[in-house]
Amino acid sequence: MKIKELRLERGLTKVQLAKELGVNKRTILRWEQDMMCMSLRHAVRLANFFEISLDELIRGFYSS
């Protein structure tokens, strides 16, 4: 799944997700638009937050 889909599924805004992950809103926007790669640390935090595996998260990036 893509980050935006995961975020919207939970009914979160970019600002809310950014606060949960300790990043700014612009970072979330860049991740969602594939304008910026995330660190492994952030990928782990994101997967944990959405309760998915890193594999599921990564497949979401490369399935489009």
Side-chain angles (χ1 to χ4, degrees):
M1 269 190 173
K2 294 278 195 176
I3 296 170
K4 185 175 183 177
E5 292 169 356
L6 292 165
R7 177 176 61 77
L8 293 175
E9 216 173 67
R10 291 261 180 114
L12 297 169
T13 66
K14 289 178 189 79
V15 172
Q16 290 169 322
L17 181 57
K19 285 182 181 180
E20 289 290 334
L21 298 175
V23 299
N24 68 41
K25 179 180 88 168
R26 191 172 309 185
T27 299
I28 301 297
L29 176 69
R30 289 177 177 161
W31 288 344
E32 288 184 354
Q33 295 181 349
D34 294 327
M35 296 171 58
M36 185 173 95
C37 293
M38 72 176 66
S39 68
L40 179 58
R41 178 177 60 108
H42 283 121
V44 169
R45 291 180 78 187
L46 193 63
N48 286 338
F49 178 77
F50 286 115
E51 299 175 331
I52 61 174
S53 69
L54 277 174
D55 186 53
E56 289 173 286
L57 181 65
I58 291 168
R59 273 189 275 138
F61 291 126
Y62 297 105
S63 63
S64 57

